[in-house]
Amino acid sequence: LLFLWSITVSIFGIGGLLGSAGSRYLTVKYGKKKCLLCNNLLMIAAASIMGFSKIAQSFEMILIGRFLCGISAGLSVPLHHQYTGEISPKKLRGFANSTSSFFWSLGKAMGQIAGQRELLGSQSLWPVLMAFSGLPALVQLVTLPFFPESPPYLLMHKGDQEGCRKAIRQLWGEGQHQADIDDIMKEKATMKNTKILSVLELMKEPAFRWQLYMIVILTATIQLCGINAV
């Protein structure tokens, strides 16, 4: 029982590692909006599997659901940051990206509160608690189709300049946005001449040593609030 309990808890982190490892390939190939939409379906499926585990009398369903939740979370963390940052006006980009951390903490707190025995943590209601993670995914699945694809993705990876202009107008309103498009074009030109480093090359590169130290320290301290870090 102790072994199964430990696997149930830790398999979320294993799924998260796999999800985050495949996020770059999927975003380049299919775009951030499509990936987020499909990721919502994965989370809803995971929540449904865990929610019906008690009726089916299957702890294996909890294991599978937790693993799928981990994959979904691993995909959504970089996806959400990139998409939110790229659809935000430049002056609001930092604020928009910082909201992710706020809502992660808020979600963690809400989960801990809802998990109390007086609320959804009781013997009869815990499947509802486990299925509750599908609700935010359902909200995003319904609302996200009304948003355009990321303008930088349309221009840099699809070469669709008109689609990029249309997305920018939909997101930021009518006005002169040529400067923003020029910035994206400069970024595209820079990326062509920039080598993408592997994880091992990144660790060996002296220029990124202090940034790497900071990321490791920050990720380690996240453990203090109970969020699994891989």
Side-chain angles (χ1 to χ4, degrees), residues 187-202:
E187 186 180 348
K188 182 179 180 180
T190 303
M191 284 181 65
K192 283 184 178 179
N193 301 320
T194 303
K195 181 188 175 185
I196 297 175
L197 301 177
S198 67
V199 176
L200 189 60
E201 288 172 333
L202 178 67

Side-chain angles (χ1 to χ4, degrees), residues 6 22-23 31 45 50 61 63 66 69 84 86-87 89 108 110 118 123 146 148 178 187 191-192 197-198 209 230:
S6 301
S23 63
M50 292 189 294
M61 290 176 68
L63 280 168
R66 286 275 296 171
C69 271
T84 306
E86 290 177 4
I87 67 172
K108 184 77 175 176
M110 288 177 64
E118 294 79 8
Q123 191 169 350
F146 296 99
Q178 188 58 45
E187 186 180 348
M191 284 181 65
K192 283 184 178 179
L197 301 177
S198 67
R209 193 65 47 81
V230 177

Side-chain angles (χ1 to χ4, degrees), residues 15 46 48 50 89 117 123 138 213-214 230:
S48 301
M50 292 189 294
R117 284 188 171 86
Q123 191 169 350
L138 181 62
Y213 288 157
M214 288 178 66
V230 177

